[in-house]
Amino acid sequence: MSHVSMDKQRELQALAETVAALAIDDGADAAEVIVGAGQSLSVKIRQGQKELLHESESHGLGLRVFVNHRSAVCHTSDLNEAELRRFVHDTVELSQLSEPDELNELPDRQDLIPLGQSLLDLDLWDDQTAKLSAPELFDIARRTEAAALGFSKKITNSDGAGCDRNAGYMALALADKAGLGFSGSSRGTYCSFSVEALCDDEGGKKRNASFWSAHRFFQQLATPESVGQEAARRALRKLGAQKLATAELPVVFDSDASRALLRTLASVVSGGAIYRKSSYLCGREGTQVASPLITIVDDPLRPRGPGSRTFDGEGLAARRNVIVDQGILSGYLLDSYSARKLGRRSNGCAGRSVGGSPHVTTSNLILHAGTTEPQGLLDGIERGLYVTDMMGFGFNAVTGDFSRGAAGFLIENGQLTVPVSEVTISANFDDLLKRIDAVGSDLDERSSTMSPSLRVSKMTVAGH
């Protein structure tokens, strides 16, 4: 399997190089080609019965060309040689209809990974994951749901358990009239499974909770039994949920909820948001934007990381970028276009799909863990809110005003007591980050956005 997949990588990389050369021969000043191929398998079990089996194999090619600073982006799934030649010609012609933009061009050659340079091996491929069969996935889903339903008689239903595995390949090539500028390829696997457990509460209300496990390597996944039991445990804890009276309280976010906060911050350190002046962090580099306890990095070079990569969507070497260093904003995430708009150079944060143009994206976005044990975040809180779920989206990127629906538990005298639902938490995001007075040691590494639990000294909690 490993040899077969390596051959697939080389095949896609050769195709990307060929199409880039065709575009130059057809009159393009420069061309960027991305080729993707993959296999996915998804299953779902509900009440022990098979509900879904979906298997797919896909491939596609995206082409971006530049002619006199005019550009066009097109994609196709027809990789027949004659059709590709027609596709390239049509894309070059289409570029003539676009408005010229002096900044819209390929990265400078000196910024690209040199041709022939060996790329880092970040260990992103697992043969076992790639070969998982439908019966194996159904077995994982069935065991996960059975563990949830069997945890307690109060767990009355399930919204099903699902299991997925993916194996994908990508190749990227850039060329101009001087020839090939960059050529690279990568491959990766990923497997995940989850279950949602339901129980009945007073007044006919349903309480539900889900839990999941995911990893590039099958052997690194949690057991189906532990995932099912945790989903059931979380659902049962919500029974008897109450509203709170409106007050200003300390708020502790568990790692799931703090992950959402981290994604919110990522949206306002993107170069696109900065040059469009649609971020409250414009002009704030070198100033305090968070508590000194907060350090945030984007690190694409973590071995086996869910968001790891050796090169970005424009052929630049992936690199570790520090975004916030002990509360001080160190810099923004930039692709080539946003960097040029800001008079800077890209720091390797471009993402690219087959169907679109490059854009700023994160890789492994990590809020560094602290030294406080999770229970320690509750210590000393006479009355507060522990947030496990957030709903809706209320964030003004320009002003930083933040408001989300939330659910979780009341904290009383350093302990979690009654479950809480139907409340709203709010603060200016700048204040929220600066008021973080403790960071947990429980970094959650299951997804490409990794965060520990954390405590905010005060927020407005609106209830009844």
Side-chain angles (χ1 to χ4, degrees), residues 5 36 39 46 76-77 133 146 186 188 196 233 237 263 282 287 289 304 321 347 402 445-446 464:
S5 65
Q39 300 170 330
R46 184 164 182 169
T76 182
S77 58
S133 65
S186 63
E196 183 173 354
R233 187 178 296 112
R237 290 172 69 193
R263 293 305 314 172
C282 288
T287 69
V289 299
R304 299 191 178 188
N321 289 301
N347 49 15
F402 175 87
E445 302 182 47
R446 290 177 297 165
H464 56 78

Side-chain angles (χ1 to χ4, degrees), residues 118-141:
S118 297
L119 300 176
L120 289 173
D121 181 3
L122 296 175
D123 200 15
L124 307 181
W125 181 273
D126 177 34
D127 279 343
Q128 185 177 7
T129 298
K131 293 186 288 188
L132 286 170
S133 65
E136 289 174 306
L137 298 191
F138 273 123
D139 181 61
I140 293 168

Side-chain angles (χ1 to χ4, degrees), residues 74 172 208 211 229 292 354 378:
C74 296
L172 181 70
N208 65 297
F211 197 63
Q229 290 167 7
V354 168
L378 310 180

Side-chain angles (χ1 to χ4, degrees), residues 25 49 86 107 116 154 221 297 308 356 362 368-369 386 402 455 462:
D25 290 344
Q49 300 300 310
R86 184 179 298 111
K154 293 181 180 179
L221 293 168
V297 302
S308 295
T362 57
H368 280 186
Y386 184 84
F402 175 87
R455 184 176 69 204

Side-chain angles (χ1 to χ4, degrees), residues 186-260:
S186 63
R187 60 177 183 161
T189 53
Y190 198 69
C191 183
S192 65
F193 65 96
S194 63
V195 65
E196 183 173 354
L198 291 86
C199 50
D200 298 320
D201 207 346
E202 295 177 1
K205 292 184 177 179
K206 298 285 186 182
R207 302 296 179 189
N208 65 297
S210 60
F211 197 63
W212 54 282
S213 180
H215 205 279
R216 289 186 177 275
F217 280 67
F218 179 75
Q219 292 297 331
Q220 298 298 311
L221 293 168
T223 65
E225 288 72 24
S226 67
V227 170
Q229 290 167 7
E230 181 61 22
R233 187 178 296 112
R234 292 183 174 211
L236 292 173
R237 290 172 69 193
K238 295 182 178 182
L239 290 173
Q242 304 173 10
K243 295 183 181 180
L244 292 181
T246 298
E248 198 169 67
L249 300 172
V251 177
V252 176
F253 293 87
D254 77 356
S255 56
D256 280 324
S258 65
R259 185 188 298 115

Side-chain angles (χ1 to χ4, degrees), residues 66-96:
F66 302 88
V67 180
N68 296 324
H69 292 285
R70 301 173 187 269
S71 68
V73 180
C74 296
H75 67 277
T76 182
S77 58
D78 190 341
L79 305 186
N80 174 274
E81 182 179 352
E83 289 301 320
L84 277 176
R85 288 182 179 277
R86 184 179 298 111
F87 166 75
V88 168
H89 181 74
D90 290 346
T91 305
V92 173
E93 278 199 339
L94 186 63
S95 68
Q96 301 301 315

